[in-house]
Amino acid sequence: MAPDPLVRLQAVSKIFPGGIVGLDAVDLDIARGEFLTLLGPSGCGKTTSLRVIAGFESPSSGEVLLEGRDITALRPFDRPVNTVFQDYALFPHMNVAENVGFGLSLRRLTRAEQAKRVGEALDMVGLADKIGARVSELSGGQRQRVALARAIVCEPRVLLLDEPLSALDAHLREQMQVELKRLQSRLGTTFVMVTHDQTEALSISDRIVVMNKGRIEQIAPPATLYDRPATKFVASFIGTMNLLQSRFLGRDGDRLRFAAGALPLEAVSETGELPGEGAVRTIGVRPEDLLATTEAAAGTAPVRVTSIVFHGRTLRLHAELEQGAPVVIDAPRRAEGFQFSVGDVAHISLRRGANCPMLSN
Ligand SMILES: Nc1ncnc2c1ncn2[C@@H]1O[C@H](COP(=O)(O)OP(=O)(O)OP(=O)(O)O)[C@@H](O)[C@H]1O
Ligand SMILES: [Mg+2]
């Protein structure tokens, strides 16, 4: 039998006064030592999920379990859980060491033990040299790391992080993502992080929970979520995805043949559902899985190029299929120059071996 998950949310709903749905029958298992990210648009229930796990919010129905034990009624301080809030909430009148040691001062530890653990936590986040500094003397990234040190010093089983990097500039943010991931591997602590940045979620997580309107749309490792999104919502939330209305033509083994207008497509059915002949389904096609050429050939369909956007290594073509359906294509930028201009007709085809998901609503 599989061991109990570290944390389990079992049919957790949270209805706020006025009937506002925060969470709607959420089932979620969080494994020991994993880096789990909650991802979704504003108001989808990410913070509410963290607050329910931390005990700051009690569910309207459902249970929170820790290693199989029902902790739904347990107060926040009695849970082996710590939270890093979005605004860090550091104490401005205390120095770095006092901020980090604050949680420890509530426990029965000698001064020497406290000082040792504060030192270790600051070492961990690379701020040993700032131990006596005032909070006001620190940069945004350093304050962020003090908040992290303050949370890990108490050695929680679960560390909850609500948009911990949102206040940082892009460069520092990327650096902190790497540090956060490294810290998590070193500590072996379970991290549950909230973000609405899909790039951040993809780069840092063991698994991602995609939420929408208080419900979970899909839980999967980053690559699975990117390659095999289960729903239209997930497909359009993670990276760029063309959602092409396509007619089912027939199957070749486990490949399903479709056509989006004149464009032949091959799709895989995650659910095993086989559409009836002529049925229309939404097929997800990544821009990098479409090829554009100047000449028509078997398996290509004409599109009119409406704009070309510079993306560095690639150029992104925005175009229209003959029925006017928009389609986005990422074309490599060749040294000898790119062959399309706005208004041109390009002939596009599906890259061989591309895995296009057949999506449900
Ligand atoms: N204390 C509250 N009282 C009433 N409604 C609330 C309360 N807290 C959250 N909500 C509502 O519950 C829903 C989920 O809120 P939540 O804060 O969990 O969203 P979120 O995913 O964290 O969004 P964001 O990305 O904007 O932080 C929203 O519709 C929100 O307005
Ligand atoms: Mg929030």
Side-chain angles (χ1 to χ4, degrees):
M1 215 173 74
D4 283 328
L6 183 57
V7 178
R8 167 172 283 177
L9 301 187
Q10 207 160 270
V12 169
S13 291
K14 178 70 190 179
I15 315 294
F16 290 106
I20 298 163
V21 178
L23 295 174
D24 185 5
V26 165
D27 289 313
L28 175 63
D29 282 358
I30 303 170
R32 266 172 213 80
E34 80 171 321
F35 200 129
L36 187 80
T37 301
L38 308 183
L39 175 70
S42 187
C44 70
K46 304 181 296 293
T47 296
T48 305
S49 303
L50 286 197
R51 292 176 59 81
V52 163
I53 295 169
F56 297 121
E57 209 77 78
S58 55
S60 311
S61 59
E63 281 93 51
V64 182
L65 309 182
L66 182 83
E67 295 184 313
R69 189 167 66 98
D70 189 340
I71 60 161
T72 318
L74 222 53
R75 292 171 310 166
F77 291 124
D78 297 327
R79 301 185 184 200
V81 172
N82 244 313
T83 311
V84 178
F85 297 99
Q86 182 168 351
D87 57 4
Y88 326 150
L90 296 178
F91 304 112
H93 56 284
M94 295 184 188
N95 71 18
V96 167
E98 289 161 347
N99 262 284
V100 174
F102 182 75
L104 290 179
S105 63
L106 307 175
R107 302 187 180 190
R108 285 202 191 92
L109 289 175
T110 65
R111 278 185 173 278
E113 281 167 334
Q114 279 187 36
K116 180 165 171 282
R117 285 182 49 180
V118 166
E120 283 167 358
L122 284 170
D123 245 356
M124 210 65 98
V125 298
L127 280 185
D129 57 330
K130 297 284 183 195
I131 191 158
R134 274 200 299 238
V135 167
S136 58
E137 294 164 1
L138 302 179
S139 72
Q142 288 167 337
R143 284 177 207 203
Q144 181 63 66
R145 284 185 278 168
V146 173
L148 263 175
R150 189 178 55 178
I152 61 177
V153 78
C154 296
E155 298 176 352
R157 304 286 307 276
V158 185
L159 188 61
L160 306 175
L161 303 130
D162 196 350
E163 306 254 7
L165 310 179
S166 61
L168 308 181
D169 67 57
H171 185 70
L172 193 54
R173 191 171 176 144
E174 211 176 311
Q175 202 178 315
M176 279 299 294
Q177 286 170 3
V178 175
E179 283 183 27
L180 207 54
K181 180 74 198 168
R182 198 179 295 154
L183 184 67
Q184 190 262 345
S185 326
R186 190 143 39 117
L187 293 172
T189 305
T190 305
F191 277 32
V192 182
M193 185 180 84
V194 162
T195 182
H196 55 248
D197 179 340
Q198 45 118 348
T199 318
E200 183 164 291
L202 288 173
S203 59
I204 209 170
S205 323
D206 295 316
R207 289 193 308 156
I208 299 172
V209 181
V210 182
M211 300 188 68
N212 182 23
K213 295 182 184 153
R215 290 177 158 267
I216 293 178
E217 288 264 335
Q218 190 173 2
I219 307 175
T224 309
L225 216 53
Y226 190 83
D227 291 335
R228 288 150 50 198
T231 65
K232 275 195 225 179
F233 179 84
V234 175
S236 48
F237 202 78
I238 308 283
T240 305
M241 180 77 99
N242 291 295
L243 300 177
L244 300 177
Q245 290 292 98
S246 310
R247 213 162 13 88
F248 181 57
L249 303 178
R251 64 186 291 185
D252 281 331
D254 57 356
R255 319 277 306 168
L256 307 181
R257 288 185 298 110
F258 283 87
L263 178 67
L265 295 175
E266 275 192 354
V268 285
S269 167
E270 288 300 329
T271 59
E273 183 216 341
L274 191 63
E277 186 144 348
V280 173
R281 291 286 182 277
T282 303
I283 307 299
V285 185
R286 294 280 176 203
E288 63 266 30
D289 285 333
L290 290 170
L291 305 174
T293 56
T294 47
E295 304 294 329
T300 69
V303 296
R304 186 162 298 280
V305 178
T306 53
S307 72
I308 299 171
V309 182
F310 180 68
H311 271 221
R313 276 178 52 203
T314 56
L315 290 165
R316 177 159 289 182
L317 264 68
H318 292 262
E320 281 177 356
L321 280 160
E322 68 243 272
Q323 335 81 298
V327 61
V328 177
I329 305 124
D330 279 347
R333 211 172 128 235
R334 298 205 180 80
E336 64 267 30
F338 183 71
Q339 65 265 55
F340 298 106
S341 310
V342 171
D344 282 357
V345 172
H347 298 273
I348 65 168
S349 58
L350 188 67
R351 191 173 59 75
R352 274 175 75 103
N355 262 323
C356 304
M358 184 172 84
L359 300 165
S360 58
N361 279 319

Short mmCIF file of all heavy atoms in Angstrom, two decimals, residues 16-17 20-22 40-49 57 163 194 196, ligand 1:
data_model
loop_
_atom_site.label_atom_id
_atom_site.label_comp_id
_atom_site.label_asym_id
_atom_site.label_seq_id
_atom_site.Cartn_x
_atom_site.Cartn_y
_atom_site.Cartn_z
N PHE A 16 -17.24 31.71 1.02
CA PHE A 16 -17.14 32.92 1.82
C PHE A 16 -18.52 33.56 1.96
O PHE A 16 -19.42 33.26 1.18
CB PHE A 16 -16.15 33.90 1.17
CG PHE A 16 -14.72 33.45 1.25
CD1 PHE A 16 -14.07 32.95 0.13
CD2 PHE A 16 -14.04 33.50 2.46
CE1 PHE A 16 -12.75 32.53 0.21
CE2 PHE A 16 -12.72 33.06 2.55
CZ PHE A 16 -12.08 32.58 1.41
N PRO A 17 -18.66 34.46 2.95
CA PRO A 17 -19.95 35.15 3.12
C PRO A 17 -20.39 35.77 1.79
O PRO A 17 -19.56 36.27 1.04
CB PRO A 17 -19.63 36.23 4.15
CG PRO A 17 -18.46 35.71 4.91
CD PRO A 17 -17.69 34.86 3.97
N ILE A 20 -19.59 33.57 -2.07
CA ILE A 20 -18.42 33.55 -2.98
C ILE A 20 -17.66 32.24 -2.79
O ILE A 20 -17.30 31.86 -1.67
CB ILE A 20 -17.49 34.74 -2.68
CG1 ILE A 20 -18.23 36.06 -2.93
CG2 ILE A 20 -16.23 34.68 -3.53
CD1 ILE A 20 -17.57 37.26 -2.31
N VAL A 21 -17.46 31.56 -3.91
CA VAL A 21 -16.78 30.27 -3.85
C VAL A 21 -15.27 30.47 -3.88
O VAL A 21 -14.72 30.97 -4.86
CB VAL A 21 -17.22 29.36 -5.02
CG1 VAL A 21 -16.45 28.03 -4.99
CG2 VAL A 21 -18.72 29.12 -4.97
N GLY A 22 -14.61 30.10 -2.80
CA GLY A 22 -13.14 30.16 -2.75
C GLY A 22 -12.56 28.86 -3.26
O GLY A 22 -11.69 28.84 -4.13
N GLY A 40 -2.52 29.55 -11.33
CA GLY A 40 -3.84 29.86 -11.89
C GLY A 40 -4.08 31.35 -11.87
O GLY A 40 -3.33 32.10 -11.23
N PRO A 41 -5.11 31.81 -12.55
CA PRO A 41 -5.38 33.24 -12.64
C PRO A 41 -5.85 33.82 -11.30
O PRO A 41 -6.19 33.07 -10.38
CB PRO A 41 -6.50 33.33 -13.68
CG PRO A 41 -7.15 32.00 -13.68
CD PRO A 41 -6.10 31.00 -13.29
N SER A 42 -5.88 35.12 -11.22
CA SER A 42 -6.29 35.81 -10.00
C SER A 42 -7.69 35.35 -9.57
O SER A 42 -8.59 35.24 -10.40
CB SER A 42 -6.30 37.32 -10.28
OG SER A 42 -6.55 38.00 -9.10
N GLY A 43 -7.82 35.05 -8.29
CA GLY A 43 -9.13 34.69 -7.74
C GLY A 43 -9.49 33.22 -7.89
O GLY A 43 -10.61 32.83 -7.57
N CYS A 44 -8.55 32.38 -8.34
CA CYS A 44 -8.89 30.96 -8.59
C CYS A 44 -8.83 30.12 -7.32
O CYS A 44 -9.23 28.96 -7.33
CB CYS A 44 -7.99 30.37 -9.67
SG CYS A 44 -6.29 30.14 -9.14
N GLY A 45 -8.30 30.68 -6.22
CA GLY A 45 -8.31 29.94 -4.96
C GLY A 45 -6.94 29.49 -4.46
O GLY A 45 -6.85 28.67 -3.55
N LYS A 46 -5.87 30.07 -5.00
CA LYS A 46 -4.52 29.65 -4.61
C LYS A 46 -4.23 30.00 -3.14
O LYS A 46 -3.84 29.15 -2.36
CB LYS A 46 -3.48 30.31 -5.52
CG LYS A 46 -3.70 30.06 -7.00
CD LYS A 46 -2.64 30.70 -7.86
CE LYS A 46 -2.59 32.22 -7.83
NZ LYS A 46 -3.76 32.89 -8.42
N THR A 47 -4.43 31.29 -2.81
CA THR A 47 -4.15 31.72 -1.44
C THR A 47 -5.08 31.02 -0.46
O THR A 47 -4.65 30.60 0.62
CB THR A 47 -4.30 33.26 -1.33
OG1 THR A 47 -3.30 33.86 -2.16
CG2 THR A 47 -4.12 33.74 0.09
N THR A 48 -6.33 30.86 -0.84
CA THR A 48 -7.28 30.17 0.04
C THR A 48 -6.79 28.74 0.33
O THR A 48 -6.88 28.28 1.47
CB THR A 48 -8.68 30.15 -0.60
OG1 THR A 48 -9.05 31.51 -0.91
CG2 THR A 48 -9.72 29.56 0.33
N SER A 49 -6.26 28.06 -0.68
CA SER A 49 -5.72 26.71 -0.46
C SER A 49 -4.60 26.73 0.57
O SER A 49 -4.59 25.90 1.50
CB SER A 49 -5.16 26.12 -1.76
OG SER A 49 -6.13 26.10 -2.76
N GLU A 57 -7.66 29.50 7.73
CA GLU A 57 -9.01 29.48 7.17
C GLU A 57 -9.55 28.08 7.42
O GLU A 57 -8.84 27.11 7.20
CB GLU A 57 -8.89 29.71 5.66
CG GLU A 57 -10.05 30.38 5.00
CD GLU A 57 -10.07 31.88 5.26
OE1 GLU A 57 -9.30 32.62 4.62
OE2 GLU A 57 -10.89 32.29 6.11
N GLU A 163 3.30 33.60 -3.51
CA GLU A 163 3.91 34.55 -4.47
C GLU A 163 5.20 35.12 -3.90
O GLU A 163 5.35 36.35 -3.85
CB GLU A 163 2.92 35.69 -4.77
CG GLU A 163 1.57 35.22 -5.23
CD GLU A 163 1.36 35.43 -6.72
OE1 GLU A 163 2.32 35.81 -7.41
OE2 GLU A 163 0.25 35.19 -7.19
N VAL A 194 2.77 29.35 -4.28
CA VAL A 194 1.73 29.92 -5.15
C VAL A 194 2.38 30.88 -6.14
O VAL A 194 3.26 31.65 -5.77
CB VAL A 194 0.71 30.71 -4.30
CG1 VAL A 194 -0.09 31.67 -5.16
CG2 VAL A 194 -0.22 29.75 -3.56
N HIS A 196 1.33 33.07 -10.14
CA HIS A 196 0.48 33.07 -11.32
C HIS A 196 1.34 33.19 -12.57
O HIS A 196 0.84 33.44 -13.66
CB HIS A 196 -0.62 34.14 -11.25
CG HIS A 196 -0.13 35.52 -11.01
ND1 HIS A 196 -0.36 36.19 -9.85
CD2 HIS A 196 0.61 36.33 -11.77
CE1 HIS A 196 0.22 37.38 -9.91
NE2 HIS A 196 0.82 37.49 -11.08
N1 LIG B 1 -11.90 36.67 3.22
C1 LIG B 1 -12.59 36.59 2.08
N2 LIG B 1 -13.88 37.01 2.02
C2 LIG B 1 -14.60 36.92 0.88
N3 LIG B 1 -14.13 36.42 -0.27
C3 LIG B 1 -12.86 35.99 -0.29
C4 LIG B 1 -12.01 36.05 0.87
N4 LIG B 1 -10.80 35.55 0.56
C5 LIG B 1 -10.88 35.19 -0.75
N5 LIG B 1 -12.10 35.44 -1.25
C6 LIG B 1 -12.57 35.16 -2.62
O1 LIG B 1 -12.28 33.79 -2.91
C7 LIG B 1 -11.78 33.64 -4.22
C8 LIG B 1 -10.40 33.02 -4.20
O2 LIG B 1 -9.51 33.93 -3.59
P1 LIG B 1 -7.94 33.66 -3.42
O3 LIG B 1 -7.41 34.75 -2.58
O4 LIG B 1 -7.73 32.28 -2.94
O5 LIG B 1 -7.44 33.81 -4.93
P2 LIG B 1 -5.96 33.70 -5.53
O6 LIG B 1 -5.96 32.56 -6.47
O7 LIG B 1 -4.97 33.68 -4.43
O8 LIG B 1 -5.85 35.05 -6.38
P3 LIG B 1 -4.63 36.11 -6.56
O9 LIG B 1 -3.76 35.54 -7.65
O10 LIG B 1 -5.32 37.36 -7.01
O11 LIG B 1 -3.92 36.26 -5.24
C9 LIG B 1 -11.84 35.03 -4.84
O12 LIG B 1 -13.05 35.15 -5.56
C10 LIG B 1 -11.82 35.95 -3.65
O13 LIG B 1 -12.48 37.16 -3.94
#
